[in-house]
Amino acid sequence: MLADLEAGTINGLLVYDLDRLHRQPSELETFIDLCAELGLTNVASVSGDIDLTTADGQFQARILGAVAKKESDDKSRRIRRKHLEIAAEGRVSGGGSRPYGYEPDKVTIRPAEAAVVAECAKRLLAGEPVRSIAQDLNDRDTPTSTGGKWSPQSLRRMLASPRISGQRAHHGEIVATAAWPGIISPEDGARIRALLANPERRTNKAARRYLLGGLLVCSHCGERLVARPRTGGKRRYACARGVGFSGCGKTYINAEEVEQFVTEAVLHRVDSRDLQRAMERRQQQAPEAERWWKEAETAQEQLEELAAAYGQREITIGEWKAARKPIEQRLSAARKQLAKVTHGGLLDSYVGHSDRLRADWDSLDLSQQHALVAAVIDSVRVGPARKGYNRFDESRLEPVLRP
Ligand SMILES: [Zn+2]
């Protein structure tokens, strides 16, 4: 329009109201300048004609513009406030299509669909990829709420929605318990969001595993070190601090080397008569150990996923706290059990035959290796790194053998 005025294609302007002409007062100033330049005197509007080349006309236009801007600001403020109010009360928002799992009132659960939601959530948390779940739903002719086919994206969106756990979100933040019932628990909801926010963590699970999980202790603060790879992916254990961790953040150690060192120590130790005696005492409790170790490891992973999701603002602090509690309880229960139970069972056939164990070592899976290490070693204290010393420094390590 401005270009047409300048080119002389049009020589007058009709607007419904002067505040429709511009959104910002500064745009009015540009327009006034243009009118003066072109000698454009006839701007007509329903609420009255204005000659923008006169001082009176400009004054009038500025007042009208300022009033209109304030009204429009007030209006959007009011709308925003209203939306927040509705959200904070956990009420449904207007518009949009019927959410999956619920009737068109968005409050009443539709049982057949709710069963699908619960099933998908369970399968996802058990480690099944979203893509395969979506494929399965389509194969079973289980359509979306609009009758269409599921895509991995639409299924991911549905499962990540706080709505299905009975929570009300506003601009991506959970602000209230919803006025409608949830289909899954808020804890599962938070875990799903953490998981979906970080899908590659799940799929690379095997590669992320660490032989000495829970066995290394920071000599500085006494906390257990956790798996914490470098940004380049090189495996490393660290005394983690920050969200979800209570370590000092000072101790790091390269995983490859410490694992090799500890493995050697274990393979050497297997020959000793002490071990044989220790094993005879504890043998009957052995089979349980692996189960508890796996349980502890899974819980630890979930805590890390949650912390990462919170760190990236994918879940709120409230969600994070709520989701963390039951996992921490599981973790500490598993650790307690693990401490009670000896990991010796597997060692049985290897006692006194460290050469055979050495030969078999690489063919054992990680949980078996871990069980063997934990049968021999109570913990390894990891001291501070020597400044400027880049090679593996075994003087940092102080293994504490099982009695
Ligand atoms: Zn520490």
PDB file of all heavy atoms in Angstrom, residues 217-225 238-241 246-252 382, ligand 1:
ATOM      1  N   VAL A 217      34.466 -45.193  44.569  1.00  0.00           N
ATOM      2  CA  VAL A 217      34.099 -44.202  45.587  1.00  0.00           C
ATOM      3  C   VAL A 217      35.074 -43.025  45.512  1.00  0.00           C
ATOM      4  O   VAL A 217      36.284 -43.220  45.382  1.00  0.00           O
ATOM      5  CB  VAL A 217      34.174 -44.842  46.997  1.00  0.00           C
ATOM      6  CG1 VAL A 217      33.959 -43.797  48.080  1.00  0.00           C
ATOM      7  CG2 VAL A 217      33.151 -45.957  47.120  1.00  0.00           C
ATOM      8  N   CYS A 218      34.525 -41.836  45.573  1.00  0.00           N
ATOM      9  CA  CYS A 218      35.350 -40.622  45.535  1.00  0.00           C
ATOM     10  C   CYS A 218      36.084 -40.457  46.876  1.00  0.00           C
ATOM     11  O   CYS A 218      35.454 -40.438  47.928  1.00  0.00           O
ATOM     12  CB  CYS A 218      34.458 -39.411  45.271  1.00  0.00           C
ATOM     13  SG  CYS A 218      35.296 -37.826  45.450  1.00  0.00           S
ATOM     14  N   SER A 219      37.418 -40.361  46.828  1.00  0.00           N
ATOM     15  CA  SER A 219      38.171 -40.251  48.083  1.00  0.00           C
ATOM     16  C   SER A 219      37.982 -38.872  48.704  1.00  0.00           C
ATOM     17  O   SER A 219      38.211 -38.668  49.880  1.00  0.00           O
ATOM     18  CB  SER A 219      39.664 -40.487  47.828  1.00  0.00           C
ATOM     19  OG  SER A 219      40.203 -39.372  47.135  1.00  0.00           O
ATOM     20  N   HIS A 220      37.530 -37.937  47.887  1.00  0.00           N
ATOM     21  CA  HIS A 220      37.371 -36.573  48.381  1.00  0.00           C
ATOM     22  C   HIS A 220      36.114 -36.428  49.248  1.00  0.00           C
ATOM     23  O   HIS A 220      36.154 -35.868  50.320  1.00  0.00           O
ATOM     24  CB  HIS A 220      37.293 -35.629  47.188  1.00  0.00           C
ATOM     25  CG  HIS A 220      37.419 -34.189  47.569  1.00  0.00           C
ATOM     26  ND1 HIS A 220      38.627 -33.578  47.737  1.00  0.00           N
ATOM     27  CD2 HIS A 220      36.470 -33.267  47.830  1.00  0.00           C
ATOM     28  CE1 HIS A 220      38.424 -32.323  48.087  1.00  0.00           C
ATOM     29  NE2 HIS A 220      37.135 -32.105  48.160  1.00  0.00           N
ATOM     30  N   CYS A 221      34.990 -36.973  48.767  1.00  0.00           N
ATOM     31  CA  CYS A 221      33.732 -36.743  49.477  1.00  0.00           C
ATOM     32  C   CYS A 221      33.034 -38.038  49.893  1.00  0.00           C
ATOM     33  O   CYS A 221      32.040 -38.004  50.615  1.00  0.00           O
ATOM     34  CB  CYS A 221      32.777 -35.901  48.627  1.00  0.00           C
ATOM     35  SG  CYS A 221      32.156 -36.773  47.187  1.00  0.00           S
ATOM     36  N   GLY A 222      33.527 -39.192  49.412  1.00  0.00           N
ATOM     37  CA  GLY A 222      32.931 -40.455  49.833  1.00  0.00           C
ATOM     38  C   GLY A 222      31.717 -40.894  49.034  1.00  0.00           C
ATOM     39  O   GLY A 222      31.146 -41.943  49.300  1.00  0.00           O
ATOM     40  N   GLU A 223      31.302 -40.083  48.038  1.00  0.00           N
ATOM     41  CA  GLU A 223      30.167 -40.487  47.202  1.00  0.00           C
ATOM     42  C   GLU A 223      30.615 -41.530  46.177  1.00  0.00           C
ATOM     43  O   GLU A 223      31.800 -41.618  45.833  1.00  0.00           O
ATOM     44  CB  GLU A 223      29.614 -39.273  46.436  1.00  0.00           C
ATOM     45  CG  GLU A 223      28.623 -38.438  47.224  1.00  0.00           C
ATOM     46  CD  GLU A 223      27.348 -39.192  47.580  1.00  0.00           C
ATOM     47  OE1 GLU A 223      26.797 -39.862  46.685  1.00  0.00           O
ATOM     48  OE2 GLU A 223      26.932 -39.118  48.753  1.00  0.00           O
ATOM     49  N   ARG A 224      29.634 -42.283  45.654  1.00  0.00           N
ATOM     50  CA  ARG A 224      29.970 -43.241  44.605  1.00  0.00           C
ATOM     51  C   ARG A 224      30.051 -42.521  43.259  1.00  0.00           C
ATOM     52  O   ARG A 224      29.245 -41.630  42.989  1.00  0.00           O
ATOM     53  CB  ARG A 224      28.919 -44.346  44.562  1.00  0.00           C
ATOM     54  CG  ARG A 224      28.963 -45.133  45.857  1.00  0.00           C
ATOM     55  CD  ARG A 224      28.279 -46.459  45.839  1.00  0.00           C
ATOM     56  NE  ARG A 224      28.475 -47.070  47.174  1.00  0.00           N
ATOM     57  CZ  ARG A 224      29.354 -48.037  47.415  1.00  0.00           C
ATOM     58  NH1 ARG A 224      30.074 -48.547  46.447  1.00  0.00           N
ATOM     59  NH2 ARG A 224      29.490 -48.517  48.637  1.00  0.00           N
ATOM     60  N   LEU A 225      31.009 -42.927  42.448  1.00  0.00           N
ATOM     61  CA  LEU A 225      31.143 -42.317  41.127  1.00  0.00           C
ATOM     62  C   LEU A 225      30.067 -42.882  40.203  1.00  0.00           C
ATOM     63  O   LEU A 225      29.623 -44.014  40.378  1.00  0.00           O
ATOM     64  CB  LEU A 225      32.519 -42.597  40.522  1.00  0.00           C
ATOM     65  CG  LEU A 225      33.751 -42.195  41.338  1.00  0.00           C
ATOM     66  CD1 LEU A 225      35.004 -42.272  40.448  1.00  0.00           C
ATOM     67  CD2 LEU A 225      33.631 -40.787  41.909  1.00  0.00           C
ATOM     68  N   ALA A 238      32.597 -40.359  37.085  1.00  0.00           N
ATOM     69  CA  ALA A 238      32.763 -39.054  37.717  1.00  0.00           C
ATOM     70  C   ALA A 238      32.028 -39.004  39.041  1.00  0.00           C
ATOM     71  O   ALA A 238      31.031 -39.673  39.247  1.00  0.00           O
ATOM     72  CB  ALA A 238      32.235 -37.962  36.786  1.00  0.00           C
ATOM     73  N   CYS A 239      32.550 -38.167  39.914  1.00  0.00           N
ATOM     74  CA  CYS A 239      31.832 -37.836  41.144  1.00  0.00           C
ATOM     75  C   CYS A 239      30.902 -36.689  40.752  1.00  0.00           C
ATOM     76  O   CYS A 239      31.333 -35.559  40.612  1.00  0.00           O
ATOM     77  CB  CYS A 239      32.832 -37.396  42.222  1.00  0.00           C
ATOM     78  SG  CYS A 239      32.017 -37.006  43.774  1.00  0.00           S
ATOM     79  N   ALA A 240      29.636 -37.048  40.506  1.00  0.00           N
ATOM     80  CA  ALA A 240      28.732 -36.073  39.884  1.00  0.00           C
ATOM     81  C   ALA A 240      28.118 -35.146  40.918  1.00  0.00           C
ATOM     82  O   ALA A 240      27.728 -35.563  42.000  1.00  0.00           O
ATOM     83  CB  ALA A 240      27.638 -36.810  39.125  1.00  0.00           C
ATOM     84  N   ARG A 241      28.057 -33.899  40.572  1.00  0.00           N
ATOM     85  CA  ARG A 241      27.344 -32.939  41.418  1.00  0.00           C
ATOM     86  C   ARG A 241      26.273 -32.262  40.576  1.00  0.00           C
ATOM     87  O   ARG A 241      26.201 -32.464  39.381  1.00  0.00           O
ATOM     88  CB  ARG A 241      28.304 -31.900  41.988  1.00  0.00           C
ATOM     89  CG  ARG A 241      28.967 -31.046  40.931  1.00  0.00           C
ATOM     90  CD  ARG A 241      29.990 -30.161  41.553  1.00  0.00           C
ATOM     91  NE  ARG A 241      29.300 -29.130  42.335  1.00  0.00           N
ATOM     92  CZ  ARG A 241      29.708 -27.863  42.412  1.00  0.00           C
ATOM     93  NH1 ARG A 241      30.776 -27.485  41.747  1.00  0.00           N
ATOM     94  NH2 ARG A 241      29.054 -26.992  43.132  1.00  0.00           N
ATOM     95  N   SER A 246      24.833 -35.883  44.581  1.00  0.00           N
ATOM     96  CA  SER A 246      25.306 -35.219  45.789  1.00  0.00           C
ATOM     97  C   SER A 246      26.822 -35.288  45.911  1.00  0.00           C
ATOM     98  O   SER A 246      27.365 -35.124  46.989  1.00  0.00           O
ATOM     99  CB  SER A 246      24.636 -35.847  47.012  1.00  0.00           C
ATOM    100  OG  SER A 246      24.646 -37.254  46.884  1.00  0.00           O
ATOM    101  N   GLY A 247      27.513 -35.572  44.821  1.00  0.00           N
ATOM    102  CA  GLY A 247      28.971 -35.647  44.864  1.00  0.00           C
ATOM    103  C   GLY A 247      29.607 -34.266  44.872  1.00  0.00           C
ATOM    104  O   GLY A 247      28.929 -33.248  44.894  1.00  0.00           O
ATOM    105  N   CYS A 248      30.959 -34.267  44.858  1.00  0.00           N
ATOM    106  CA  CYS A 248      31.677 -32.990  44.948  1.00  0.00           C
ATOM    107  C   CYS A 248      32.064 -32.464  43.567  1.00  0.00           C
ATOM    108  O   CYS A 248      32.450 -31.315  43.432  1.00  0.00           O
ATOM    109  CB  CYS A 248      32.926 -33.154  45.809  1.00  0.00           C
ATOM    110  SG  CYS A 248      34.154 -34.264  45.078  1.00  0.00           S
ATOM    111  N   GLY A 249      31.981 -33.316  42.544  1.00  0.00           N
ATOM    112  CA  GLY A 249      32.296 -32.848  41.189  1.00  0.00           C
ATOM    113  C   GLY A 249      33.784 -32.735  40.924  1.00  0.00           C
ATOM    114  O   GLY A 249      34.196 -32.188  39.912  1.00  0.00           O
ATOM    115  N   LYS A 250      34.613 -33.261  41.843  1.00  0.00           N
ATOM    116  CA  LYS A 250      36.060 -33.034  41.680  1.00  0.00           C
ATOM    117  C   LYS A 250      36.788 -34.219  41.075  1.00  0.00           C
ATOM    118  O   LYS A 250      37.866 -34.063  40.526  1.00  0.00           O
ATOM    119  CB  LYS A 250      36.672 -32.696  43.038  1.00  0.00           C
ATOM    120  CG  LYS A 250      36.274 -31.297  43.479  1.00  0.00           C
ATOM    121  CD  LYS A 250      36.919 -30.922  44.793  1.00  0.00           C
ATOM    122  CE  LYS A 250      36.507 -29.485  45.149  1.00  0.00           C
ATOM    123  NZ  LYS A 250      36.468 -29.254  46.577  1.00  0.00           N
ATOM    124  N   THR A 251      36.211 -35.413  41.221  1.00  0.00           N
ATOM    125  CA  THR A 251      36.952 -36.595  40.811  1.00  0.00           C
ATOM    126  C   THR A 251      36.422 -37.178  39.498  1.00  0.00           C
ATOM    127  O   THR A 251      35.224 -37.407  39.357  1.00  0.00           O
ATOM    128  CB  THR A 251      36.874 -37.670  41.923  1.00  0.00           C
ATOM    129  OG1 THR A 251      37.387 -37.101  43.117  1.00  0.00           O
ATOM    130  CG2 THR A 251      37.667 -38.899  41.561  1.00  0.00           C
ATOM    131  N   TYR A 252      37.329 -37.392  38.556  1.00  0.00           N
ATOM    132  CA  TYR A 252      36.994 -38.033  37.282  1.00  0.00           C
ATOM    133  C   TYR A 252      38.029 -39.108  37.019  1.00  0.00           C
ATOM    134  O   TYR A 252      39.185 -38.942  37.413  1.00  0.00           O
ATOM    135  CB  TYR A 252      37.076 -37.022  36.135  1.00  0.00           C
ATOM    136  CG  TYR A 252      36.038 -35.948  36.208  1.00  0.00           C
ATOM    137  CD1 TYR A 252      36.277 -34.778  36.918  1.00  0.00           C
ATOM    138  CD2 TYR A 252      34.823 -36.101  35.556  1.00  0.00           C
ATOM    139  CE1 TYR A 252      35.322 -33.786  36.993  1.00  0.00           C
ATOM    140  CE2 TYR A 252      33.860 -35.112  35.613  1.00  0.00           C
ATOM    141  CZ  TYR A 252      34.111 -33.962  36.336  1.00  0.00           C
ATOM    142  OH  TYR A 252      33.164 -32.988  36.402  1.00  0.00           O
ATOM    143  N   VAL A 382      38.881 -43.783  44.736  1.00  0.00           N
ATOM    144  CA  VAL A 382      39.574 -43.100  43.650  1.00  0.00           C
ATOM    145  C   VAL A 382      40.051 -41.743  44.152  1.00  0.00           C
ATOM    146  O   VAL A 382      39.242 -40.887  44.525  1.00  0.00           O
ATOM    147  CB  VAL A 382      38.652 -42.900  42.428  1.00  0.00           C
ATOM    148  CG1 VAL A 382      39.407 -42.219  41.295  1.00  0.00           C
ATOM    149  CG2 VAL A 382      38.101 -44.247  41.971  1.00  0.00           C
TER     150      VAL A 382
HETATM  151 ZN    ZN B   1      33.524 -36.412  45.357  1.00  0.00          ZN
END
